[in-house]
Amino acid sequence: MEHIRTPKVENVHMIDRLTPRKSTVGTLYLSSTHTIFVENSEARKETWVLHSLVYNVERFPTNPSGSPLIIRCKNFHVYRLLIPQERDCLDVLASLTRLSRPECYGELFCFSFNPNLDKELREKAWGFIDLKAEFNRMGIPSNLWHVTAANHEYRASICRSSQPLSGFSARSSDDEQMLQAIMKSNPISEFMYVVDTRPKLNAMANRAAGKGYENEDHYTNIKLQFIGIENIHVMRNSQQKLIDVGELAAPSMSDFLWGLENSGWLKHIKAVLDAGVFIAKAVAEDGVSVLVHCSDGWDRTAQACSVASVLLDPYYRTIKGLMVLIEKDWVSFGHKFSHRYAHLDGDPKEVSPVMDQFLECVWQLMQQFPCAFEFNERFLIQLHTHIYSCQYGNFIGNCQKERRDLRLQERTHSLWPHLWENRAEYTNPLYRTDHSQTQGVLKPLTTAYCFKFWKGMYGRAEKSVASHQSPADCLNAVREESQQLEEELSAHQERLAQLKEKKTSGGRKKTNKLSERVRRPIPTESKLSSPLDYFTTTRSEKHTPSFTLPLELAAPPKNGDPDDLSTCSDFESGVADLSSRSSFFFFFFFTCNSEKI
Amino acid sequence: MEFAELIKTPRVDGVVLHRPFMPTVEGTLCLTGHHLILSSRQDNTEELWLLHANIDSIEKRFVGSLGTIIVKCKDLRVIQLDIPGMEECLNIASSIEALSTLDSVSLMYPFFYRPLFEVIEDGWQLFVPEEAFKDLESMTDEWRLSEVNKDFSVCPSYPSLLTVPKDIDDESLCKAASFRHGGRFPVLSYYHKKNGMVMMRAAQPLTGTNGRRCKEDEKLINATLCAGKRGYIIDTRTIAVAQQAKARGGGFEQEANYPQWRRIHKAIERSNVLQEGLIKLVEACNDQSHSMDRWLSKLEASNWQSNVKEILTTACLAAQCIDREGASVLVHGTEGTDSTLQVTSLAQIILDPACRTIRGFEALIEREWLQAGHPFQQRCAQSAYSNGKPRSEAPVFLLFLDCVWQILRQFPCSFQFNENFLIMLFEHAYASQFGTFLGNSVAERLKLLLSQKTVSLWSWVNRPQELERFLNPLYEPNNLVIWPSVAPQSLLLWEGVFLRWNRSTKCLDEAYQEMVHIIEYNKELQNKVNSLRRQLAQLETEDGPLQTP
């Protein structure tokens, strides 16, 4: 609490840059864990922003209407505030800057987050994902080796490691023998692949530092394959450029496409997916074992192996399966979560969107195989948020040992049971366990035109640029209704049988009133209500489901954004509602400033 | 018969056909007057029937005596025929070339096609201006149907009946026509029932360099304004392009002469630029070896997505003026037959829920495209593979369909039709057995006697058996105005057209089937529950008197 210089500021404007008339006035509160904005409107709508999700806070010069402050979040939400007094703005800035950069693990939200579970439930929750059970599921230990379900006819396997310390000439006979053993464990192939996920040039450069890659002359029967995934620094810069594209004020189509190309982001996503496809193909089609490594073995290697696993094994395309995969390939294999996702104030060079890229690969696959995944886009976005949020203990620390030392299982809660309980929200209506797409290996196309900009993830900088109302949400509503109908049907059938029986036996019994016909909630297409100002070459128009924290999400946008129910009533109002002149002014103000950035 | 002269070799055996995502077929190639046919004469192999009119261009290659013809179609498909024998190959190639570029419209397939189905509802009689006017009359009495163009002499590209303000007589219309490019004086395009505002369309005014004016034209459009209200003129060209038009006798409305109107310039590209864009886009889509950078930069360079964005934005603007500003709108570009129609028809889809039904959309195409004089035959003579010099070809209609698809994707429950319906319209606009898209205007169509000599596309589409494929299972009628997003990230490449032949759609088709399945199951349940409810209700009323309180 000592970091909070001012706990409450009144008459703060929350600016909507694209539709200024949707800007609101309210009170800003700072708690030890959240920034909370409460609208003055009757609805008193609250927006909660977790401090640990704040990526940065930026202040702009004070102008006659107040001091503007922008809060950017690690899940790509952006909040634009206008604070009446400069002094308050400075206080908020200083407080948030400090609060969003915890210096030690003890300050993280997960250690104070208490969802009112008793001790027993909490412990049980931590046992929700059990890796031993997972290895059993994969059929390990078997006589020969561990085997994934997808390639049971073969005996090929995927192994992972870090780079060998070969330098220019060093060799290790133990390492050579171990690879030989892996190779031999697969009786049907006479060689194995060693996949180095780095660009060859980077791998060669590593040799000067006494590291590098396997010398094919020293290892018998290996084939070395470089894949060319760039390092964490390149990825960090690339994502930043992508985020900038999302934040452009009124970009033209050319600005957008050029920005997308210039960021290189989709190129990198393609490289990760290509790596996964190569490995999956080697294992499933050629029956060849694969050893995967990069430099350290916890970033690119984890990406490549987990993408390959998703392609190979339908289990990892289920809700529980993806949790298991993350627990296995990322958490237990020592992915440096706290470094990569900047949980603590630390070296910015350690930060990189490694998991973001894995999740995006899965999303890209969902575009090609709409029936293959049990979960939906919302599930991936939720996972992404929690990898950064520090609300649950699952992703705290940089390796298993650190996690044990922090006694996370005793002191924090696990995310997995929470997601599992709410799985109805995360279910893909098109998924059916007996569908052909849920069987066997996925063989995606990785031609450049197959990759899309992930609007649901990166198009959230503006509150009003939104994802569309999706067919999936309509279908979920239909399925829900079908379920109710099924129940009603069997109730009616029972009643009918009863009546008929009574009739023949002459008995009489008062009946309950029949339930009203179940009515499918007609999906409101929320954009209906408010046009943009198409006069200026503006762009976009509608609300994202506002993912306010804490992450007991605001109602899932089944019926469109709840916000928009209110805007339906202003359906008759004029276009650019200029009644609040000041907000129109802010709109210009922010537009000008962000262009300077 | 003329065709026989063009067919040098009517049939060749041992021809191998390669098609995207289908096994190769070996069989006999036959050329008829209108079709290229490949038949393997095996029972369960699909034959190829390709309309010559669908062929955009061909390429020949030879390896020894084996010739190969690459056939590039207007629907963007590319197929390959391996033909043994150099002479046969050359003959086939030159025949295809001749048959696919016939000059005379009356030799086109629609004049020879005899439907294998019974025409129950004649599409030619389905959308007549008199009917549309009856609807208008029920809402307002400020408009009349004018016969001033009954012999097409006032404006050759307009239909014979036009809806104009009641207070403007035919003589004034003629004068206004002489002041507008091609005689296209301002006429009613859409009446917004909610607030009585209207959208009109026209061609550019012929102000020329010395600022000519026309009192009748001014009076005509002012007659559509309510007292004290202002209107908007949406010029689809940039101010620079509109200025340049003055030198060629065209121009735009001067503020001084139209004080009640505010003019807004947008930047929809001219048709020859659009054609180049289409060619570049399809080239980029067909090269699978592109790196990500190259693909994105080619996509950008084609400007296709920019065009979609600009057209859609302009349509939204028109809709916004009408619905939100409560103002009437006049839309025009240069000729008033291309970008103007894109804007007026898209604005109606945004504003009017009726246009989002199948019948309503067909009516919209009739009104705003066919009867409004979009020169389909000129614009759709060639598609993305044309290697000749473009004359007046341009994908104006395809861009319109692309924009509709973008709105459909953003409002998946608001349209009665699905993507397949739009793709079907694209195909038939370029090559068809039906006469609907032949000719460039109502006058030309009458002269060709299309309604007597050919079958209308609508006669076929509206049969329940055909319609089924085009129905959107998610449709829930929605009476609101739908405001699409025009942000670049909200506009996607229309894969259903541009990547259709480049990647298998198996998984996406399966997803669609799954969706249909979920909804059909729901309907089935509803029917069952309803019938049980009725049974129960009946049983219980029968029992009623016996029931004890």
Side-chain angles (χ1 to χ4, degrees):
Chain A
M1 290 304 267
E2 74 270 25
H3 306 305
I4 301 172
R5 296 204 189 169
T6 177
K8 178 179 174 187
V9 188
E10 290 182 331
N11 287 320
V12 172
H13 290 250
M14 173 90 86
I15 309 294
D16 190 315
R17 189 168 60 157
L18 296 179
T19 21
R21 70 198 175 87
K22 287 196 179 167
S23 300
T24 51
V25 186
T27 306
L28 191 72
Y29 298 91
L30 292 189
S31 81
S32 57
T33 55
H34 291 87
T35 305
I36 305 150
F37 179 79
V38 183
E39 283 179 19
N40 287 350
S41 67
E42 250 174 63
R44 312 229 19 110
K45 194 183 149 229
E46 297 175 8
T47 307
W48 291 58
V49 183
L50 189 58
H51 295 324
S52 45
L53 261 180
V54 172
Y55 167 68
N56 71 15
V57 192
E58 190 177 4
R59 190 179 79 91
F60 292 88
T62 302
N63 63 60
S65 49
S67 282
L69 193 73
I70 296 187
I71 302 173
R72 292 192 179 80
C73 294
K74 293 170 180 173
N75 61 351
F76 315 118
H77 283 284
V78 179
Y79 301 93
R80 294 160 199 277
L81 303 175
L82 190 81
I83 298 173
Q85 298 296 325
E86 186 173 36
R87 194 175 38 84
D88 288 334
C89 184
L90 287 168
D91 282 346
V92 172
L93 174 69
S95 312
L96 273 182
T97 305
R98 174 61 188 84
L99 288 166
S100 64
R101 288 181 202 155
E103 284 164 359
C104 66
Y105 284 119
E107 290 180 34
L108 292 179
F109 181 44
C110 57
F111 294 107
S112 57
F113 173 62
N114 185 359
N116 282 330
L117 285 183
D118 62 28
K119 188 164 172 286
E120 206 174 312
L121 272 174
R122 175 198 294 218
E123 276 166 16
K124 213 175 136 207
W126 275 108
F128 182 71
I129 299 294
D130 177 4
L131 281 190
K132 270 192 202 128
E134 165 61 6
F135 282 111
N136 282 334
R137 188 192 69 84
M138 292 199 295
I140 308 166
S142 75
N143 300 340
L144 287 168
W145 189 249
H146 85 239
V147 191
T148 71
N151 60 332
H152 53 89
E153 306 115 82
Y154 309 110
R155 287 282 179 255
S157 62
I158 304 172
C159 307
R160 49 186 286 179
S161 71
S162 63
Q163 64 185 340
L165 303 176
S166 54
F168 288 105
S169 57
R171 56 190 290 188
S172 152
S173 58
D174 290 342
D175 194 60
E176 288 160 26
Q177 275 170 20
M178 177 150 180
L179 258 67
Q180 190 67 13
I182 295 171
M183 201 275 289
K184 286 223 167 113
S185 74
N186 175 7
I188 68 150
S189 173
E190 286 172 0
F191 73 96
M192 70 179 288
Y193 281 114
V194 173
V195 170
D196 191 325
T197 56
R198 299 167 293 184
K200 189 167 183 184
L201 214 62
N202 300 21
M204 286 167 76
N206 262 296
R207 281 165 54 174
K211 305 166 193 170
Y213 52 90
E214 291 78 0
N215 184 332
E216 279 175 287
D217 297 336
H218 296 166
Y219 293 82
T220 34
N221 306 322
I222 67 161
K223 282 190 184 172
L224 195 58
Q225 176 78 33
F226 293 94
I227 300 267
I229 303 175
E230 297 289 350
N231 65 32
I232 57 169
H233 313 295
V234 174
M235 299 307 194
R236 179 177 58 244
N237 295 335
S238 170
Q239 193 190 40
Q240 188 52 53
K241 285 182 188 163
L242 185 76
I243 294 166
D244 294 345
V245 172
E247 269 201 60
L248 283 178
S252 69
M253 186 58 82
S254 293
D255 293 338
F256 173 73
L257 289 173
W258 188 85
L260 194 57
E261 180 193 338
N262 184 50
S263 76
W265 183 255
L266 290 180
K267 178 171 67 187
H268 301 313
I269 296 296
K270 175 169 155 58
V272 175
L273 192 54
D274 275 331
V277 169
F278 178 88
I279 297 165
K281 184 173 174 294
V283 172
E285 285 178 31
D286 312 335
V288 178
S289 288
V290 183
L291 171 68
V292 187
H293 71 71
C294 47
S295 299
D296 299 311
W298 52 56
D299 293 318
R300 287 172 272 200
T301 301
Q303 287 176 331
C305 290
S306 44
V307 169
S309 303
V310 168
L311 293 173
L312 286 165
D313 190 341
Y315 177 64
Y316 297 127
R317 297 173 222 145
T318 63
I319 290 178
K320 183 123 184 225
L322 190 69
M323 296 178 184
V324 167
L325 184 66
I326 291 172
E327 203 53 52
K328 174 170 82 72
D329 272 9
W330 297 83
V331 178
S332 81
F333 272 107
H335 181 60
K336 304 207 289 184
F337 281 93
S338 283
H339 281 163
R340 294 293 176 259
Y341 312 113
H343 292 162
L344 300 178
D345 194 23
D347 182 0
K349 285 204 169 66
E350 282 284 331
V351 179
S352 190
V354 184
M355 268 296 246
D356 302 38
Q357 291 183 317
F358 165 64
L359 294 175
E360 179 159 344
C361 284
V362 175
W363 181 82
Q364 300 282 358
L365 288 171
M366 282 162 66
Q367 306 312 299
Q368 286 194 41
F369 304 97
C371 306
F373 294 85
E374 188 190 13
F375 46 83
N376 59 15
E377 173 178 15
R378 206 173 289 138
F379 185 61
L380 298 178
I381 292 176
Q382 193 68 341
L383 279 173
H384 177 268
T385 295
H386 281 297
I387 284 161
Y388 286 88
S389 75
C390 301
Q391 183 171 357
Y392 294 89
N394 302 65
F395 309 120
I396 307 301
N398 291 306
C399 61
Q400 285 295 63
K401 183 173 178 300
E402 211 174 2
R403 267 187 281 278
R404 213 171 39 228
D405 295 347
L406 283 168
R407 294 188 293 121
L408 288 171
Q409 302 218 355
E410 295 155 49
R411 299 169 63 204
T412 71
H413 293 269
S414 170
L415 169 66
W416 304 129
H418 168 72
L419 291 179
W420 183 251
E421 276 158 29
N422 296 301
R423 62 188 176 279
E425 246 173 75
Y426 304 124
T427 304
N428 170 13
L430 298 176
Y431 179 80
R432 222 172 359 103
T433 45
D434 56 347
H435 196 280
S436 65
Q437 282 180 41
T438 49
Q439 319 297 316
V441 181
L442 296 184
K443 292 173 191 163
L445 266 183
T446 59
T447 320
Y449 53 60
C450 295
F451 292 81
K452 293 173 187 152
F453 174 79
W454 190 359
K455 192 180 165 216
M457 181 68 94
Y458 294 104
R460 301 192 289 173
E462 300 297 338
K463 199 169 148 235
S464 45
V465 181
S467 54
H468 313 283
Q469 195 234 333
S470 71
D473 285 334
C474 306
L475 285 179
N476 269 330
V478 173
R479 291 215 330 183
E480 220 167 275
E481 190 198 43
S482 292
Q483 232 164 37
Q484 290 173 30
L485 284 169
E486 277 170 359
E487 283 164 24
E488 196 189 333
L489 190 67
S490 63
H492 283 346
Q493 276 164 344
E494 209 173 291
R495 178 80 197 122
L496 199 65
Q498 262 176 17
L499 274 175
K500 278 183 179 156
E501 193 189 326
K502 291 273 159 60
K503 200 164 193 178
T504 45
S505 66
R508 291 286 172 267
K509 194 185 156 199
K510 193 171 165 54
T511 52
N512 295 324
K513 192 174 177 289
L514 290 176
S515 61
E516 291 295 308
R517 183 188 175 286
V518 196
R519 186 60 212 158
R520 181 193 316 166
I522 293 181
T524 57
E525 310 214 47
S526 28
K527 256 183 256 176
L528 309 176
S529 45
S530 57
L532 258 206
D533 191 355
Y534 297 103
F535 280 92
T536 53
T537 38
T538 31
R539 7 174 216 164
S540 199
E541 41 323 307
K542 91 162 218 202
H543 280 206
T544 356
S546 52
F547 282 15
T548 50
L549 288 162
L551 297 141
E552 267 63 70
L553 279 189
K558 245 174 229 156
N559 301 322
D561 181 5
D563 284 4
D564 280 307
L565 296 177
S566 60
T567 49
C568 283
S569 58
D570 78 26
F571 187 62
E572 298 297 328
S573 67
V575 183
D577 175 6
L578 305 184
S579 55
S580 143
R581 286 203 150 261
S582 52
S583 65
F584 198 60
F585 170 75
F586 305 149
F587 166 62
F588 281 118
F589 171 81
F590 274 100
T591 318
C592 304
N593 272 289
S594 45
E595 272 164 7
K596 257 188 250 160
I597 296 168
Chain B
M1 153 103 246
E2 304 93 323
F3 296 124
E5 295 161 23
L6 299 174
I7 303 170
K8 294 179 182 161
T9 303
R11 53 174 285 175
V12 187
D13 289 323
V15 174
V16 179
L17 164 71
H18 307 267
R19 280 181 289 187
F21 310 110
M22 290 201 189
T24 54
V25 182
E26 187 179 335
T28 304
L29 178 75
C30 300
L31 289 187
T32 72
H34 294 105
H35 284 96
L36 181 159
I37 303 160
L38 190 119
S39 165
S40 66
R41 303 188 183 210
Q42 277 156 17
D43 288 343
N44 37 19
T45 320
E46 206 190 318
E47 293 182 328
L48 173 76
W49 282 73
L50 186 68
L51 263 182
H52 294 316
N54 191 2
I55 296 173
D56 209 17
S57 70
I58 60 168
E59 279 169 29
K60 301 174 288 242
R61 281 184 214 147
F62 291 97
V63 181
S65 68
L66 181 74
T68 292
I69 301 179
I70 314 273
V71 181
K72 299 182 173 182
C73 304
K74 289 176 187 164
D75 61 13
L76 308 183
R77 171 173 36 163
V78 177
I79 61 174
Q80 181 185 329
L81 297 164
D82 297 338
I83 299 171
M86 188 181 287
E87 198 191 332
E88 281 84 354
C89 185
L90 284 172
N91 283 345
I92 294 283
S94 71
S95 305
I96 295 177
E97 258 169 359
L99 289 164
S100 62
T101 52
L102 293 177
D103 276 334
S104 168
V105 187
S106 55
L107 291 180
M108 304 288 269
Y109 186 53
F111 289 95
F112 298 82
Y113 169 74
R114 291 291 158 261
L116 293 172
F117 58 89
E118 191 193 346
V119 175
I120 298 165
E121 197 179 23
D122 185 2
W124 290 116
Q125 308 306 325
L126 217 47
F127 309 102
V128 288
E130 288 91 337
E131 288 297 317
F133 186 74
K134 269 185 203 154
D135 286 347
L136 180 69
E137 258 184 328
S138 69
M139 299 183 278
T140 169
D141 58 358
E142 285 165 25
W143 298 82
R144 70 184 182 93
L145 215 48
S146 165
E147 292 185 6
V148 68
N149 198 39
K150 63 175 183 291
D151 55 1
F152 306 105
S153 60
V154 177
C155 172
S157 63
Y158 268 166
S160 51
L161 289 174
L162 291 155
T163 310
V164 296
K166 200 174 196 174
D167 300 337
I168 306 296
D169 57 27
D170 282 357
E171 199 181 328
S172 304
L173 294 178
C174 291
K175 289 197 174 137
S178 66
F179 180 63
R180 294 274 170 178
H181 191 118
R184 294 176 70 92
F185 57 88
V187 296
L188 181 78
S189 161
Y190 171 66
Y191 179 84
H192 196 43
K193 196 175 172 184
K194 194 168 110 190
N195 60 8
M197 293 302 130
V198 297
M199 178 161 58
M200 289 177 300
R201 51 178 159 74
Q204 65 176 349
L206 302 173
T207 56
T209 41
N210 47 13
R212 217 179 121 214
R213 64 186 287 189
C214 170
K215 292 275 186 205
E216 286 78 7
D217 187 76
E218 292 159 25
K219 199 176 149 212
L220 168 55
I221 72 165
N222 284 340
T224 66
L225 291 177
C226 307
K229 279 269 193 180
R230 281 165 64 100
Y232 289 92
I233 294 174
I234 297 177
D235 192 324
T236 62
R237 309 161 293 179
T238 60
I239 179 76
V241 173
Q243 286 282 8
Q244 285 161 17
K246 283 185 179 174
R248 289 186 301 275
F252 52 86
E253 294 83 356
Q254 296 294 337
E255 285 85 352
N257 302 338
Y258 298 83
Q260 288 161 284
W261 295 81
R262 185 182 152 198
R263 213 177 59 242
I264 303 173
H265 288 273
K266 300 300 282 184
I268 301 183
E269 287 286 0
R270 282 191 57 80
S271 45
N272 53 336
V273 182
L274 301 181
Q275 180 71 6
E276 281 167 32
L278 175 66
I279 292 171
K280 282 187 192 163
L281 175 68
V282 171
E283 214 175 76
C285 291
N286 284 352
D287 191 338
Q288 318 215 347
S289 67
H290 284 326
S291 71
M292 188 63 72
D293 288 353
R294 196 156 167 71
W295 156 248
L296 288 172
S297 89
K298 287 210 146 193
L299 178 64
E300 198 256 306
S302 79
N303 261 328
W304 186 267
Q305 294 298 94
S306 300
N307 291 327
V308 168
K309 177 170 154 59
E310 195 60 34
I311 293 165
L312 210 46
T313 307
T314 310
C316 288
L317 173 67
Q320 190 184 9
C321 290
I322 293 168
D323 187 68
R324 291 310 181 93
E325 301 276 285
S328 286
V329 171
L330 169 67
V331 184
H332 71 73
T334 305
E335 290 98 347
T337 54
D338 296 292
S339 59
T340 305
L341 304 183
Q342 289 171 331
V343 173
T344 57
S345 52
L346 287 167
Q348 291 179 53
I349 286 169
I350 294 166
L351 293 170
D352 184 3
C355 295
R356 300 174 218 142
T357 64
I358 290 206
R359 283 296 167 104
F361 192 69
E362 290 171 0
L364 181 76
I365 287 173
E366 275 286 338
R367 265 194 336 264
E368 291 299 305
W369 291 88
L370 292 161
Q371 291 169 15
H374 175 66
F376 274 99
Q377 200 170 308
Q378 290 175 10
R379 297 288 181 257
C380 302
Q382 297 259 260
S383 168
Y385 300 120
S386 61
N387 31 26
K389 227 191 278 162
R391 290 169 306 215
S392 35
E393 294 82 3
V396 178
F397 187 63
L398 175 58
L399 270 163
F400 158 72
L401 294 175
D402 194 329
C403 292
V404 177
W405 178 77
Q406 306 284 351
I407 309 177
L408 168 65
R409 219 187 49 81
Q410 293 185 25
F411 298 95
C413 309
S414 297
F415 289 81
Q416 193 189 13
F417 50 87
N418 60 19
E419 178 180 6
N420 293 335
F421 190 63
L422 300 174
I423 296 174
M424 180 275 296
L425 288 171
F426 157 61
E427 290 174 340
H428 283 277
Y430 279 85
S432 177
Q433 65 269 45
F434 304 108
T436 299
F437 292 109
L438 292 181
N440 293 303
S441 63
V442 172
E444 279 190 35
R445 268 176 225 117
L446 275 176
K447 218 166 144 192
L448 288 165
L449 301 175
L450 288 181
S451 64
Q452 288 106 304
K453 292 190 168 174
T454 73
V455 180
S456 160
L457 173 64
W458 314 130
S459 302
W460 171 72
V461 168
N462 289 336
R463 302 170 71 235
Q465 304 90 307
E466 302 299 332
L467 217 47
E468 208 175 319
R469 275 187 297 148
F470 303 126
L471 289 174
N472 174 11
L474 292 172
Y475 179 56
E476 292 271 351
N478 159 6
N479 280 321
L480 297 175
V481 176
I482 50 176
W483 299 107
S485 164
V486 293
Q489 40 181 283
S490 303
L491 302 176
L492 298 185
L493 177 71
W494 189 7
E495 299 185 0
V497 165
F498 297 109
L499 299 179
R500 183 179 177 189
W501 311 104
N502 298 330
R503 52 152 177 62
S504 160
T505 54
K506 182 174 159 281
C507 291
L508 302 179
D509 295 343
E510 284 171 357
Y512 186 83
Q513 282 313 317
E514 196 59 36
M515 183 169 89
V516 171
H517 172 79
I518 291 171
I519 288 166
E520 276 177 358
Y521 176 63
N522 178 274
K523 283 188 183 145
E524 197 183 303
L525 277 176
Q526 275 182 13
N527 289 339
K528 275 190 194 160
V529 167
N530 285 340
S531 102
L532 271 183
R533 271 183 193 151
R534 274 194 301 273
Q535 278 187 48
L536 275 173
Q538 206 175 5
L539 273 174
E540 292 185 351
T541 12
E542 282 168 19
D543 296 349
L546 294 167
Q547 218 157 9
T548 46

